[in-house]
Amino acid sequence: MDNNDKNRSLEEIFVSTFHDKMSFKEFLSLDINNEYHTIDLRKRVIYAPTPKLKQIHRFINKTILEFADYSKDVVYSYRKGVSVRDAVEKHSNNTIFFQTDFSDFYSSIHAENVKTSLYKQLSNTYISDIEKYIDRILELTVIDNHIPAGFSTSPLLSNICLFDFDQELLKCCNDIGLTYTRYSDDIIISGSDKTFTDDILSIIKDLLGKHVNSEISINDSKTKINKKGHDFKLLGFSILPNGIVTIPSEYKKEVELLLYFYLTDNEKFEDYFKKLNENKKLELEDKTLREHAINSLSGKMIAFNSMDKKYISKLRRKYGNTVIDMFIRKSVK
């Protein structure tokens, strides 16, 4: 937001943003029920907004939600300038690692959570009359009493709604010498043999009930405790015994073999991709096996590019800038 927007009304900022492309009256009267459709994707419901609703969500993010309070010492998701690697590196000098995640994360964050959090945490926004429009923001960002997967507002709202929980869990961890970070719905807490407590899971559950709601819960099947020196992963990374954070060697091997076969032998490229995914059901009606393989490799390369720039530089030297850039930009044919 420009400094000139300080202490202006939401209507003034809206008009200066959209000009004649959309009226403020339309913003206030738009029926969200006509502005999205749902997609069933691997047992999840994704809410796909129309182009108009996407524009409004971008405006809400940039003008309002990006100014709300969230726990900057804990949260590493949906923030500019930090990455999933940063969330892991804070734990690199510790020896015991607890990790878990939430069950049905977005579905468990309700309209009342959003409303309460916005009223408490919008003091940094420059909009002079923001409280007048909090109910309207709810109408445009919450569906069926929860924040929906697929809306660009939901990630920021999740961080905002977990602010009190994050702050309290951070304080608890600091008091007993533990390190806490969160990336979206993934929680990592680490320490040493002397500082770690077996009560950490019950502490998390108690704080969720107090500071979010009684329905948000921990995914017990994803809850693990590991020790440094053992083979385990934190958000896709390995922490070596010397504390170095790196992409696991088996992931690197898969990517390099796929790259090599892509450049040298299309049949082996497809066969190796098929072998890697032999336990997954591939829907081939809309795409060929080669197209699935290319999309998968592009996804891995994009992830690696955000996780480890040095490793991507190594791949550039080995396979050439053009090839690596094509996969990262998803322009491979």
Side-chain angles (χ1 to χ4, degrees):
M1 189 185 298
D2 192 278
N3 285 335
N4 293 327
D5 289 332
K6 286 185 179 181
N7 300 319
R8 296 170 68 192
S9 70
L10 183 64
E11 181 174 2
E12 288 175 311
I13 297 170
F14 188 93
V15 170
S16 68
T17 300
F18 287 96
H19 303 289
D20 297 328
K21 295 177 182 177
M22 191 185 310
S23 70
F24 191 63
K25 184 178 180 180
E26 189 172 9
F27 169 79
L28 294 178
S29 62
L30 189 73
D31 184 357
I32 191 174
N33 293 315
N34 299 324
E35 299 297 329
Y36 70 89
H37 67 276
T38 59
I39 303 168
D40 291 324
L41 185 64
R42 296 175 186 172
K43 299 181 180 180
R44 294 178 65 211
V45 178
I46 305 298
Y47 294 76
T50 62
K52 180 179 290 186
L53 187 56
K54 282 183 180 179
Q55 283 185 303
I56 289 175
H57 284 166
R58 282 196 293 269
F59 172 78
I60 291 172
N61 279 341
K62 186 176 180 181
T63 309
I64 301 167
L65 301 186
E66 288 182 4
F67 291 87
D69 294 327
Y70 61 89
S71 186
K72 296 178 177 62
D73 294 327
V74 169
V75 178
Y76 288 83
S77 48
Y78 322 123
R79 289 178 55 192
K80 296 176 182 177
V82 297
S83 69
V84 62
R85 185 186 187 97
D86 296 312
V88 175
E89 285 189 328
K90 284 195 73 171
H91 302 271
S92 60
N93 293 322
N94 291 331
T95 55
I96 298 180
F97 308 89
F98 169 94
Q99 55 184 316
T100 191
D101 67 13
F102 299 111
S103 299
D104 299 321
F105 185 37
Y106 283 176
S107 298
S108 301
I109 299 177
H110 299 157
E112 190 60 32
N113 300 126
V114 176
K115 186 174 184 176
T116 301
S117 298
L118 290 180
Y119 270 111
K120 288 172 58 178
Q121 292 160 228
L122 288 181
S123 59
N124 292 327
T125 184
Y126 296 134
I127 300 169
S128 60
D129 56 353
I130 185 60
E131 288 193 1
K132 286 171 54 178
Y133 299 102
I134 286 179
D135 285 343
R136 183 56 181 157
I137 294 167
L138 287 176
E139 292 170 353
L140 292 168
T141 59
V142 176
I143 295 176
D144 297 331
N145 196 35
H146 66 84
I147 59 173
F151 279 16
S152 65
T153 48
S154 293
L156 290 177
L157 286 175
S158 70
N159 283 344
I160 294 166
C161 290
L162 264 65
F163 175 76
D164 288 340
F165 164 78
D166 286 331
Q167 292 293 90
E168 286 299 314
L169 183 54
L170 177 64
K171 181 180 182 301
C172 180
C173 288
N174 286 343
D175 287 346
I176 55 178
L178 300 178
T179 303
Y180 166 45
T181 63
R182 181 172 62 79
Y183 192 89
S184 186
D185 62 342
D186 287 289
I187 286 175
I188 305 174
I189 295 173
S190 64
S192 66
D193 290 312
K194 294 180 180 179
T195 61
F196 208 82
T197 172
D198 292 333
D199 295 330
I200 197 63
L201 183 58
S202 61
I203 291 171
I204 291 171
K205 290 180 177 180
D206 181 57
L207 292 176
L208 283 172
K210 285 182 179 178
H211 298 291
V212 187
N213 61 55
S214 60
E215 291 184 30
I216 191 166
S217 62
I218 290 298
N219 188 342
D220 291 328
S221 67
K222 296 284 187 71
T223 301
K224 304 171 186 175
I225 296 179
N226 291 287
K227 288 192 174 184
K228 184 178 282 185
H230 292 230
D231 185 20
F232 69 97
K233 300 175 184 67
L234 291 177
L235 303 181
F237 287 93
S238 292
I239 297 180
L240 303 180
N242 61 4
I244 292 176
V245 175
T246 184
I247 298 170
S249 57
E250 65 264 34
Y251 292 175
K252 294 178 180 178
K253 180 181 177 181
E254 288 176 6
V255 162
E256 293 194 43
L257 277 173
L258 283 168
L259 280 170
Y260 176 75
F261 290 143
Y262 170 80
L263 292 170
T264 61
D265 191 318
N266 185 59
E267 185 176 347
K268 288 184 179 180
F269 176 63
E270 293 182 3
D271 286 345
Y272 185 57
F273 169 74
K274 196 171 182 179
K275 179 182 177 182
L276 291 175
N277 293 274
E278 59 188 358
N279 295 323
K280 300 177 184 178
K281 184 179 179 181
L282 295 174
E283 302 290 343
L284 298 178
E285 291 83 0
D286 56 335
K287 294 176 183 176
T288 65
L289 184 61
R290 176 180 170 80
E291 287 172 330
H292 275 285
I294 287 172
N295 286 344
S296 174
L297 182 52
S298 283
K300 293 175 189 293
M301 294 294 293
I302 292 167
F304 282 12
N305 190 45
S306 67
M307 292 165 72
D308 194 333
K309 300 287 187 186
K310 289 183 179 179
Y311 180 62
I312 289 294
S313 295
K314 175 187 172 183
L315 294 181
R316 290 181 186 279
R317 292 191 296 270
K318 188 171 182 178
Y319 298 100
N321 284 327
T322 301
V323 171
I324 302 304
D325 282 339
M326 282 195 307
F327 278 103
I328 291 174
R329 294 171 183 168
K330 301 191 79 170
S331 59
V332 181
K333 303 295 183 183

